Amino acid sequence: IEFPVAGTSVPLGADDFVVAVEDTAGVFGAYQRGVYVGIDATITPVLRAEGLAREFVHGLQALRKSKDFDVSDRVTLTWKAEGELAAAISAHATYIAQEVLAVSMSRDDALATGDAIEVEGAGATVRLARAGA
């Protein structure tokens, strides 16, 4: 190619270029066979909320197991949490209810007794019972 420099053209060939791959903050990638693929690994608020909801489900599943619930038992779920965790539970209530087989799921900020579930440094109090019990 011809590259304009100070009013003249300088010819450049393939040997005149160096292609270098540099790390970029928050991007993870791999270079193979002349192809570089990078993935932005930035945790957005939406992704964080989804992760919190999944961890909440994990805690609820462990609680189901500790209470000797059958895998197919339907449950009622009452929960209390604050801040980011409460927002994540509210945003992903349908997913959470499906995963733990909750026939009802309600928030009760006055919930005083129940089981504690720790999710990434945030706590939730829950009351989990077999449906119809």
Side-chain angles (χ1 to χ4, degrees):
I1 64 169
E2 295 288 324
F3 190 76
V5 176
T8 66
S9 292
V10 177
L12 298 174
D15 293 338
D16 295 317
F17 291 92
V18 175
V19 177
V21 177
E22 294 183 12
D23 290 334
T24 302
V27 175
F28 296 94
Y31 181 79
Q32 189 175 24
R33 296 185 199 147
V35 177
Y36 178 79
V37 176
I39 297 175
D40 183 354
T42 304
I43 303 297
T44 65
V46 171
L47 288 174
R48 175 134 172 87
E50 185 177 327
L52 290 172
R54 288 178 185 270
E55 286 198 33
F56 184 65
V57 166
H58 177 75
L60 291 172
Q61 298 293 32
L63 184 59
R64 284 177 61 102
K65 185 176 181 179
S66 73
K67 292 180 176 280
D68 292 325
F69 287 6
D70 289 333
V71 173
S72 61
D73 282 345
R74 303 287 182 201
V75 298
T76 59
L77 170 63
T78 306
W79 63 275
K80 172 183 159 183
E82 295 180 4
E84 189 178 30
L85 179 56
I89 294 169
S90 294
H92 296 281
T94 301
Y95 160 76
I96 293 166
Q98 289 172 344
E99 291 297 306
V100 300
L101 302 179
V103 296
S104 70
M105 181 172 162
S106 59
R107 180 176 183 169
D108 181 357
D109 288 332
L111 186 61
T113 60
D115 296 290
I117 295 178
E118 188 71 20
V119 178
E120 284 192 27
T125 302
V126 298
R127 187 177 309 125
L128 191 66
R130 284 185 179 93

